Amino acid sequence: MTLLDARTIRLNARYRDKAEAIRDVGRILCEAGKVSTEYIEKMIEREAVATTYVGNGVAVPHGTKDALVFVKETGIAVVQVPAGVDFGGGNRARLLVGIAANGSD
């Protein structure tokens, strides 16, 4: 199992808003075989509950607890956003670390 590899790293990304950014992070995880497509909407649902912005220009988008069934293999996606993307409250994320974990890895 490889948590992070070249397929799950993206540099110099640009997004209109956090929803587009989160969906792209989810697509990266999906294309790497870490999650099924349903996981992406669970990431959006999680963001609606509370922001995944953790400070210092970093956001950690991930799915809701019930999204575990859509995780095929634990993985991480890292996306650099030089201009940042607004995660609300004036918080601009310049680094997105998408996480998918099924708890058994």
Side-chain angles (χ1 to χ4, degrees):
M1 170 182 69
T2 302
L3 288 179
L4 182 66
D5 62 39
R7 298 174 303 157
T8 57
I9 298 170
R10 180 165 296 149
L11 303 176
N12 298 311
R14 293 176 185 242
Y15 302 110
R16 290 182 301 261
D17 56 37
K18 71 178 177 179
E20 180 184 31
I22 292 168
R23 283 190 173 93
D24 191 47
V25 170
R27 274 191 294 276
I28 292 168
L29 290 167
C30 190
E31 289 169 3
K34 305 298 183 180
V35 300
S36 62
T37 57
E38 295 89 350
Y39 189 81
I40 298 169
E41 287 308 310
K42 294 297 184 179
M43 293 174 79
I44 295 294
E45 286 179 23
R46 170 59 184 86
E47 189 66 30
V49 172
T51 186
T52 57
Y53 182 83
V54 296
N56 295 314
V58 178
V60 185
H62 56 282
T64 58
K65 188 169 186 159
D66 63 334
L68 293 175
V69 297
F70 304 121
V71 177
K72 297 176 183 179
E73 179 182 359
T74 297
I76 298 172
V78 176
V79 179
Q80 176 209 35
V81 187
V85 61
D86 184 10
F87 263 70
N91 297 311
R92 294 194 70 75
R94 290 179 172 77
L95 184 67
L96 309 176
V97 181
I99 297 175
N102 63 15
S104 65
D105 294 328

